[in-house]
Each structure stands twice: as structure tokens, then as C-alpha cells.
Amino acid sequence: MAKSHSVFVCTSCGAQTRQFFGKCSSCGSWNTLIEQKQSSAPAADSRRRRPVAAAGELKGELAGGRPKRSEPIHAVGERPLQRLASGYAEFDRVLGGGLVPGSLVLLGGDPGIGKSTLLLQSCRAMAARTSVLYVSAEESAQQVKLRWRRLAEMGESPPELPEAQESLEQAPGVADLQLLAETDLELVLQELESLRPAVAIIDSIQALHDAELGSAPGSVAQVRECAAALARIAKRQDTALLLVGHVTKEGALAGPKVLEHLVDAVLTFEGDRFASHRLLRAVKNRFGATHELGVFEMRDRGLAEVSNPSELFLGSEEPSAGTATIVACEGTRPLVVELQALVSTTSYASPRRSATGIAANRLHQILAVLEKHLGLPLSRFDCYLAVAGGLEVE
Ligand code: TYD
Ligand code: MG
């Protein structure tokens, strides 16, 4: 039997130590080290217990009877990049024009923001054209089915939104969607290998667990091992993988930095819990530009695209004191947003400065310029600045 020992892993940067410290010696964060039991030969183990994967890789390498070697760059065959439409123009734009076969996309966001809804809705459009596997590790098959039914009803509601309507019309019989409610990594891998779907969705990567690793689901080692195993299989059989990831209390994608290196694109889905609009952004994208913004609205029957978000981010139509309309550029799309400012006499020793939706340093800088060059005595006033609609602009 393999001997097990403990290591301490930093949940923020993934660094490992043998000893517990209050502060991570690698990234300097406090109280981020957690204990993990490890078997003494994990690397050898994982290589041994995936005979199917190993054999598949070997076949590719030994094609033509010799091991794979380097080759001149001009001899490398080019495949045209066939992107798969997600069914949403907003989603496609953030992806850089659609889903690339064999790519790994991590979709992060707070719980309840609508990640599962977004992906299940895209499934409707994608499954009409290609094979899709939806792995639900958090919800039961019944729960997914209920949501699916609820979203399906949207297609029959009055056509308020032409884009969303169109994508649903493309899915008349809703063809090839397979549903698997499973948390065991090994079974998920087997299903991926036997079905070989064009698209697979894992909801969520933190809920999957590898029984051979001792640690709890959602721990750094588990997330890393599960994502790496899924990535190997996705690249080998050209399956586009969409992984759902949760966001930690600090707002970073849980799981943590290790996952961001492994995947081709990192998207974040954010929004105000109390407002209905949701923003989809690309933080990293190997197949497209970052800083693209997709805007959705959460309705009672799922997410709808907002193709003219400026309407959403403009406050009242009447011009009023303290507001200014600016044009911000988010990705390739200009957005008209409203800035709201309030200046009032301070009753504190040092005046309050508060910025929402815009970097606080920018506010400080502008206030300093106004004070120095226009002679406005702003250091005696509290200054508040906000972007209407909960948007963040640069
Ligand atoms: P969900 O996709 O489950 O969030 P996540 O997977 O990111 O945790 O979204 C759940 C929220 O969305 C929940 O608060 C209810 C709301 N919702 C609607 O408002 N309308 C809908 O049609 C659906 C399916 C969900
Ligand atoms: Mg979910």
C-alpha cells in the first residue's frame, strides 16, 4: 500500500510546502494554506491507472512506425479553424467568434449568477447541429430536466427578442444532447471516450472528484487533477470542453491559478444580484481578443441577449446635475454609459472618496488635477463617483 503524507497547498497560488505557515512563502497571502493527504507516488499512479488514455496517445505517436519527431514549420498541415456557434451572438463574440473544437473554456462566476442557465441554453442551439454531453455534477438529472423544460417554454413565448428566438427555432427536435449526472471523474472520462461528443459541458469542475486522490472535492489537488485529465481527453478527441468554475470569496476563480494556465480561455460571468443584467467577459483567450463584453438579461424563462446595452447603462433621460454621458470602449463595441458624481462638504478630518465601477486611483488623480489647475478646493469635500447600471469601465 502506498504511504500517505501531508502537504500544505496554497489555495491562492497553488504552491506546496511540507510545513504549515500562516503566510504563503510563494505569493505572500495569509491563511491560504490547507492540508492535503497525498499518496507517496501520485504521478506514477495516475500514469498507470489510465490504460485507455495511454494506449490512445501511443497510437498517435507511433503512426508510421516511428516515434513522433519535430518537423519543419512549413510542413505542418493547417486545418481551417471551424468554430462552433454557441447559439448566442453575445457569447460567440466573447469567445472570439465561436467555440473552437478541442479547446478548453473555463466559465467562472458567483453562485446563482446564471452559469448553468447560460450553458444549458447554448446546449439547445448546439445540440441541434452536433453532439453535446452535459455533465451535471451539482444538480440531479431531474433538476436539469426541469430547467430545460422551463427554458424550452421560452421558445413559445412572444418573440420579443429576435436573436434568442432564432437560436431556439434552430432546435426543433432538440437532437443530440446527452445528460450525465455524475461526480466521479473516472466515469465522466469513460463517457467522454465512448460518446466522443463535439462539445462537453462540465458543471462544475469543483464538484468532480477523483476517487484515487485522497483529498476532498473542490480542493486544489482535485481540481487540478480533474481538469488535467479532462484536458488530455478533449485535445485527443477534439471535444470542445466548457468547464464551470466557482469564484472564491476574494473574487478569484477558485481552483485556482493552476486552472487558468491549463485552459485556452477564461470567461467570467458577473452581475448584480439585484439587477437583471449579466456581463460575460473574456479574461484570457487563446483564440480571440480579451476585453470583449457580452451582455445578457436574466428573465423568468432564462437569459436573453441584450444587443444594445447602452440603453441599459444610461440612467434617466432628463439631464440632471452631477451626471455626464460618456462613451466607453469595451472590446470592439462602444458603450454609452452615464457617470454620476456627488460632491458635498465633508464633516471628516480627511474627506471621503468613493468610486463604483471605475478605478479609485483615477478619481484621486482627476480630483488632484482639478484642485491644482482649476483651484477647486476639493480637499474640503467628500467626492463620490459611480457608473450607472453597475458596469465597470476603464
Ligand atoms: P444558475 O444558472 O443556477 O446559476 P449558477 O449555475 O451560476 O449557480 O442560475 C440560478 C439563478 O437564475 C436563480 O437565482 C434563478 C435564476 N433564474 C431565472 O431568473 N430565470 C430562469 O429562467 C432560470 C432558469 C433561472
Ligand atoms: Mg450551476
Side-chain angles (χ1 to χ4, degrees):
M1 215 183 107
K3 223 173 91 188
S4 72
H5 60 86
S6 286
V7 290
F8 295 89
V9 182
C10 172
T11 50
S12 139
C13 70
Q16 294 187 358
T17 59
R18 285 293 177 91
Q19 210 184 336
F20 180 79
F21 298 105
K23 182 180 176 183
C24 172
S25 53
S26 172
C27 68
S29 350
W30 287 90
N31 298 327
T32 52
L33 292 193
I34 52 160
E35 183 177 7
Q36 258 170 25
K37 294 257 182 288
Q38 275 200 337
S39 118
S40 55
D45 264 350
S46 67
R47 231 168 283 140
R48 222 180 337 170
R49 73 194 161 82
R50 290 203 213 293
V52 193
E57 269 156 17
L58 216 61
K59 232 188 282 159
E61 277 172 18
L62 293 175
R66 65 180 184 86
K68 199 171 177 177
R69 302 223 183 102
S70 62
E71 50 187 332
I73 190 159
H74 57 80
V76 178
E78 274 181 52
R79 279 186 306 170
L81 203 59
Q82 283 273 343
R83 289 182 187 255
L84 229 139
S86 66
Y88 286 94
E90 296 286 305
F91 196 0
D92 286 344
R93 192 184 40 248
V94 177
L95 284 170
L99 210 52
V100 176
S103 68
L104 241 82
V105 178
L106 177 65
L107 174 67
D110 287 329
I113 208 75
K115 302 178 295 295
S116 308
T117 308
L118 176 70
L119 293 180
L120 199 62
Q121 270 182 268
S122 311
C123 275
R124 291 192 71 84
M126 291 191 291
R129 276 168 280 136
T130 184
S131 53
V132 182
L133 172 67
Y134 190 101
V135 179
S136 174
E138 290 185 351
E139 292 167 291
S140 69
Q142 268 74 28
Q143 281 173 303
V144 179
K145 181 68 195 283
L146 261 175
R147 189 194 300 245
W148 175 268
R149 174 98 46 75
R150 187 169 163 190
L151 296 173
E153 285 165 8
M154 191 170 105
E156 288 139 31
S157 68
E160 293 168 324
L161 295 138
E163 281 97 335
Q165 183 74 5
E166 191 192 342
S167 67
L168 286 164
E169 269 170 8
Q170 282 169 6
V174 180
D176 207 1
L177 180 73
Q178 294 287 325
L179 187 59
L180 174 70
E182 185 53 67
T183 56
D184 188 344
L185 175 73
E186 205 61 44
L187 298 177
V188 173
L189 292 177
Q190 279 172 16
E191 193 67 9
L192 272 170
E193 259 170 359
S194 71
L195 285 177
R196 293 184 154 265
V199 180
I201 288 158
I202 312 290
D203 187 3
S204 66
I205 186 75
Q206 275 98 358
L208 275 194
H209 88 118
D210 185 344
E212 310 232 342
L213 283 180
S215 45
S219 62
V220 181
Q222 283 281 2
V223 169
R224 184 166 41 192
E225 183 63 23
C226 291
L230 288 164
R232 276 194 295 271
I233 224 171
K235 299 281 172 210
R236 198 166 65 234
Q237 56 185 46
D238 248 5
T239 297
L241 263 187
L242 283 157
L243 310 176
V244 173
H246 291 288
V247 164
T248 58
K249 269 186 291 187
E250 290 78 28
L253 271 177
K257 289 284 173 207
V258 272
L259 261 194
E260 293 186 18
H261 296 301
L262 198 80
V263 300
D264 298 306
V266 180
L267 311 183
T268 61
F269 204 37
E270 54 201 55
D272 203 324
R273 261 175 181 277
F274 305 103
S276 62
H277 63 268
R278 302 279 183 269
L279 306 174
L280 185 67
R281 286 174 195 277
V283 180
K284 158 185 173 175
N285 195 348
R286 283 188 188 144
F287 304 109
T290 50
H291 301 298
E292 281 291 354
L293 181 72
V295 185
F296 294 86
E297 193 181 343
M298 183 61 95
R299 304 247 173 122
D300 56 349
R301 286 185 186 146
L303 288 158
E305 289 181 293
V306 179
S307 35
N308 181 17
S310 296
E311 285 174 4
L312 210 69
F313 300 121
L314 275 180
S316 58
E317 279 166 25
E318 293 291 307
S320 51
T323 68
T325 302
I326 59 157
V327 180
C329 236
E330 287 290 322
T332 52
R333 187 165 52 176
L335 269 182
V336 181
V337 296
E338 189 180 274
L339 275 185
Q340 304 170 336
L342 175 71
V343 175
S344 70
T345 321
T346 188
S347 49
Y348 302 101
S350 62
R352 283 183 67 95
R353 268 94 179 83
S354 152
T356 312
I358 199 159
N361 279 340
R362 303 279 291 173
L363 173 64
H364 294 153
Q365 194 179 9
I366 291 167
L367 293 179
V369 171
L370 292 178
E371 177 131 26
K372 173 100 182 169
H373 294 287
L374 293 184
L376 299 179
L378 290 167
S379 49
R380 282 189 268 124
F381 293 88
D382 290 335
C383 299
Y384 300 90
L385 185 65
V387 180
L391 186 73
E392 287 206 8
V393 296
E394 288 192 30

